[in-house]
Amino acid sequence: MHDLELTEEQRMVRDMARDFARGEVAPHAEAWAKAGWIDDQTIAQMGELGLLGMIVPEQWGGSYIDYVAYALAVEEISAGDGALGAVMSIHSSVGCGPIIQYGTAEQQQTWLPDLAAGRSIGCFCLTEPQAGSEAHNLRTRAVLEDGEWVLNGAKQFVSNAKRAKLAIVFAVTDPELGKKGLSAFLVPTDTNGFIVDRTEHKMGIRASDTCAVSLHDCRIPEANLLGPRGKGLAIALSNLEGGLLGIAAQALGIARAAFEAALVYARERVQFDKPIIEHQSVANMLADMHTRLNAARLLILHAARLRTAGLPCLSEASQAKLFASEMAEDVCSKAVQIHGGYGYLEDYPVERYYRDVRITQIYEGSSEIQRLLIARELRNYPL
């Protein structure tokens, strides 16, 4: 993307995130992956730079400019480390987003300043062992007793759960109402009965903690209900556009890092008396990779501009996420191929990029779900 298409503020945010990613993130990414943890100092630095409050308005201590700046920053951080990009995107879109949109003034003032500054990290407890894409089919229950909500149930695939200080938990309050009986709650993670059962061992983004969580007679004040009772499904889906943009940008960042690694290698690696970039088969792969990266960025930034303007963009965000995530796996695969046998070794980062990027076709709505959303919009497509 040409800088002429960006405002000065957007360029400054992108360049700041890029400098931080290259200097403070990328050099540690492999060590973090092996440890299964990103050090707390890095998260604190992210907060100080405003990278964890990018969708939070200034009145609550955030650094919101627009969704273009946010997408550019997620791309840069993810190019440094896909796992850190996941932490940033999930914390922002589904950790901060629902409170911005549905929180009371007191809830917003209580939680958003710490979330925006990175003093607290948010997590989102929606998925259950038996309920993934069908978000309405939950078994977790919340019962109002003596001015407190009592939550019981199990959650699966909770990103940031080990690190988070605040969880947004979805539970059924009125079983007889079906989809209209689901509600959302703000649950501090130090509440008795909120238990991180285990941290999952994953194919990729290993430094981003993904956990199973259980709630055993977890009691919270009645005032911790987020939004109206029975509006849980609407709240869960309300930040879908922002979440899709974040994961699309994450996929783009990982793929761009893989492309750049492949480009450097192709310029340096000599076979048959010339750098392999001069062999047409390798040059063609790099040309295709570069083209598809730029196409993905344009889709992402188009959707980001629509969201910034307050216009509906679910189809555009779905298209961006679908294209970027599927493009990214192919680009990372080609980067491994260009490296040859070395690409299969942990000594070279393309091996990690290939593993890290696979999740982007699954979480925040799988590719299959994105196609369903896009196709649904086509029913009223103007001809």
Side-chain angles (χ1 to χ4, degrees):
M1 172 167 192
H2 201 286
D3 275 7
L4 282 174
E5 298 177 45
L6 302 177
T7 67
E8 183 176 356
E9 271 190 308
Q10 290 164 352
R11 288 197 298 271
M12 288 175 62
V13 168
R14 181 202 60 190
D15 293 348
M16 175 271 292
R18 181 177 295 173
D19 289 345
F20 177 71
R22 289 178 175 175
E24 305 297 331
V25 175
H28 306 291
E30 187 62 34
W32 291 339
K34 289 178 178 176
W37 188 251
I38 298 164
D39 67 79
D40 294 340
Q41 181 181 353
T42 300
I43 299 298
Q45 285 180 282
M46 293 266 289
E48 290 167 6
L49 290 171
L51 291 166
L52 295 175
M54 290 201 66
I55 73 162
V56 180
E58 191 175 340
Q59 70 189 93
W60 296 302
S63 53
Y64 177 77
I65 296 171
D66 56 29
Y67 274 87
V68 170
Y70 171 66
L72 292 168
V74 173
E75 178 190 339
E76 295 300 335
I77 296 300
S78 300
D81 181 23
L84 187 57
V87 172
M88 176 183 176
S89 173
I90 292 159
H91 164 80
S92 299
S93 63
V94 293
C96 300
I99 304 174
I100 295 168
Q101 188 166 353
Y102 285 95
T104 64
E106 184 177 354
Q107 289 169 343
Q108 291 165 341
Q109 194 55 52
T110 297
W111 289 105
L112 287 175
D114 282 348
L115 289 167
R119 293 186 292 269
S120 290
I121 296 296
C123 68
F124 191 75
C125 300
L126 176 63
T127 299
E128 297 185 359
Q130 82 295 337
S133 296
E134 51 172 356
H136 60 279
N137 186 27
L138 302 185
R139 294 178 184 166
T140 299
R141 295 290 186 263
V143 178
L144 191 57
E145 291 182 0
D146 301 322
E148 291 183 315
W149 289 103
V150 184
L151 280 66
N152 284 280
K155 297 294 181 179
Q156 181 61 288
F157 302 128
V158 182
S159 299
N160 296 346
K162 186 176 176 182
R163 186 186 298 276
K165 291 186 179 180
L166 178 67
I168 298 178
V169 178
F170 294 83
V172 176
T173 48
D174 302 280
E176 70 282 359
L177 297 180
K179 293 181 181 180
K180 296 182 180 179
L182 182 67
S183 300
F185 301 90
L186 297 171
V187 183
T189 58
D190 59 0
T191 304
N192 288 336
F194 184 95
I195 300 165
V196 177
D197 291 318
R198 66 181 180 275
T199 302
E200 306 290 4
H201 298 280
K202 310 189 297 292
M203 176 192 292
I205 58 167
R206 294 174 177 170
S208 165
D209 56 299
T210 303
C211 307
V213 169
S214 59
L215 301 117
H216 297 289
D217 292 330
C218 185
R219 291 179 171 269
I220 56 172
E222 185 175 358
N224 282 30
L225 175 70
L226 178 63
R229 179 170 177 165
K231 291 294 184 183
L233 188 59
I235 293 170
L237 297 176
S238 65
N239 286 280
L240 186 57
E241 293 170 352
L244 293 172
L245 285 171
I247 302 306
Q250 179 201 15
L252 174 61
I254 298 170
R256 197 192 83 208
F259 165 74
E260 290 173 352
L263 182 59
V264 169
Y265 186 83
R267 288 170 174 171
E268 296 176 348
R269 175 70 165 164
V270 175
Q271 291 280 276
F272 303 105
D273 300 321
K274 59 183 177 182
I276 62 173
I277 195 172
E278 295 181 22
H279 294 283
Q280 197 65 52
S281 58
V282 174
N284 285 346
M285 276 196 285
L286 289 166
D288 286 344
M289 293 158 74
H290 185 49
T291 300
R292 297 184 72 203
L293 284 164
N294 285 332
R297 186 176 296 107
L298 290 171
L299 279 171
I300 292 166
L301 297 185
H302 173 60
R305 289 189 173 101
L306 290 174
R307 184 159 175 81
T308 298
L311 298 172
C313 62
L314 181 57
S315 179
E316 289 81 0
S318 291
Q319 291 172 50
K321 198 265 192 185
L322 173 65
F323 184 85
S325 61
E326 296 195 348
M327 169 280 297
E329 183 181 359
D330 183 60
V331 165
C332 289
S333 178
K334 283 184 167 63
V336 171
Q337 193 71 17
I338 288 169
H339 280 72
Y342 291 112
Y344 207 66
L345 302 181
E346 290 186 357
D347 305 47
Y348 286 77
V350 290
E351 181 270 343
R352 172 166 46 84
Y353 300 147
Y354 189 47
R355 287 186 293 102
D356 283 354
V357 84
R358 185 62 183 84
I359 188 59
T360 63
Q361 293 179 60
I362 299 172
Y363 67 1
E364 200 68 37
S366 66
S367 289
E368 292 71 27
I369 293 295
Q370 301 315 316
R371 288 185 169 92
L372 285 174
L373 293 171
I374 295 163
R376 187 181 299 164
E377 293 285 323
L378 293 178
R379 295 171 188 171
N380 299 310
Y381 184 78
L383 294 174

